[in-house]
């Protein structure tokens, strides 16, 4: 099996979406756009079809049927294999604690519901330690700059980053608290059935 950490963010999102139900690439693209996942990764028809083909070649998903709707071209439906499910989980575990790859973290966060609640809390705790270290580093840098009388106009970017880090820590602490006290529903099993139907989520295809 290929190294899951080398999956592209788009590949992870495709595999994660197939956890919900078998789909053809066009349906995958439509659903991802409907959920506004194009905020996280570019969603282009050619790239999606190419990625699906590569994932099939790597043994992470498999063809389960070919349909034709009227005069439209045939559409191949794919299903997620166990290897693909494990690859998603492994990728999220690898990226969720990181702070140096913001775009990958956003995808990992959007797919964190594929992991158990307690594991997500533990991974976020690891990330918090890195965030705090970075906050302290930025504060120390600003302190040294003040001591050396560095003109503030040269420090505005550093000030911005320090403020963003403070906000990130506060946001993550809030998320962790909601996960820990279970006030935030987590996992497909905790989504009400009428909401599952509305958003095309199915329990039956999850492990």
């Amino acid at each position: 099996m290929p190294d899951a950490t080398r999956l592209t963010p788009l590949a992870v999102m495709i595999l994660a979406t197939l956890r919900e139900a078998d789909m053809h690439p066009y349906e995958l693209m439509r659903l991802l756009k409907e959920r506004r996942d194009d905020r996280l990764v570019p969603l282009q028809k050619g790239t999606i079809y190419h990625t699906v083909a590569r994932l099939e070649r790597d043994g992470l998903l498999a063809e389960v049927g070919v349909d034709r709707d009227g005069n439209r071209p045939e559409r191949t439906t794919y299903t997620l294999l166990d290897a693909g499910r494990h690859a998603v989980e492994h990728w999220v575990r690898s990226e969720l604690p990181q702070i140096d790859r913001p775009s990958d973290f956003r995808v990992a966060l959007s797919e964190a519901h594929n992991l158990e609640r307690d594991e997500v809390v533990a991974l976020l705790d690891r990330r918090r330690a890195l965030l705090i270290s970075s906050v302290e580093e930025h504060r120390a840098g600003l302190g040294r700059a003040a001591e050396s009388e560095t003109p503030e106009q040269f420090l505005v970017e550093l000030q911005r980053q320090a403020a963003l880090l403070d906000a990130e820590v506060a946001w993550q602490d809030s998320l962790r608290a909601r996960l820990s006290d279970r006030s935030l529903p987590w996992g497909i099993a905790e989504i009400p059935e009428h909401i599952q139907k509305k958003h095309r989520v199915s329990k039956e295809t999850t492990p």
Side-chain angles (χ1 to χ4, degrees), residues 97-100 102 126-142 144 157-169:
Q98 307 302 325
I99 66 171
D100 57 347
R126 286 171 50 192
R127 184 173 188 268
R128 188 182 194 279
L130 295 175
L131 285 171
I132 293 299
S133 177
S134 186
V135 166
E136 293 172 348
E137 181 180 343
H138 279 75
R139 286 176 178 165
L142 287 170
R144 289 192 297 270
E157 193 284 326
L158 188 61
Q159 291 170 342
R160 172 184 178 274
Q161 187 60 27
L164 290 175
L165 285 168
D166 285 338
E168 182 82 0
V169 172

Side-chain angles (χ1 to χ4, degrees), residues 17-33:
T17 304
L18 286 175
R19 287 176 67 112
E20 301 173 21
D22 298 343
M23 301 181 199
H24 50 72
Y26 178 80
E27 186 178 7
L28 277 166
M29 181 174 65
R30 182 166 55 83
L31 185 56
L32 288 170
K33 285 187 174 181

Side-chain angles (χ1 to χ4, degrees), residues 53-192:
R54 179 169 57 82
L55 292 171
E56 181 184 22
R57 185 175 65 248
D58 289 343
L60 302 181
L61 51 78
E63 177 182 331
V64 289
V66 178
D67 300 319
R68 180 185 290 276
D69 183 8
N71 294 326
R72 294 180 178 178
E74 291 183 343
R75 291 177 175 173
T76 303
T77 300
Y78 294 89
T79 191
L80 181 67
L81 300 178
D82 285 344
R85 180 176 289 106
H86 296 323
V88 169
E89 295 169 354
H90 182 62
W91 191 91
V92 173
R93 288 188 185 104
S94 298
E95 296 300 328
L96 195 60
Q98 307 302 325
I99 66 171
D100 57 347
R101 293 187 289 275
S103 58
D104 286 359
F105 170 74
R106 292 180 68 197
V107 174
L109 184 64
S110 74
E111 301 300 346
H113 59 269
N114 290 290
L115 302 181
E116 295 293 330
R117 179 189 300 270
D118 291 343
E119 183 174 13
V120 172
V121 169
L123 292 169
L124 290 176
D125 284 347
R126 286 171 50 192
R127 184 173 188 268
R128 188 182 194 279
L130 295 175
L131 285 171
I132 293 299
S133 177
S134 186
V135 166
E136 293 172 348
E137 181 180 343
H138 279 75
R139 286 176 178 165
L142 287 170
R144 289 192 297 270
E147 290 174 359
S148 64
E149 299 183 335
T150 301
E152 188 175 3
Q153 61 184 287
F154 299 139
L155 303 175
V156 290
E157 193 284 326
L158 188 61
Q159 291 170 342
R160 172 184 178 274
Q161 187 60 27
L164 290 175
L165 285 168
D166 285 338
E168 182 82 0
V169 172
W171 167 82
Q172 184 169 300
D173 286 349
S174 175
L175 173 62
R176 187 196 188 283
R178 296 183 66 206
L179 285 168
S180 296
D181 67 16
R182 309 189 74 84
S183 62
L184 174 63
W186 198 253
I188 290 177
E190 296 189 20
I191 301 176

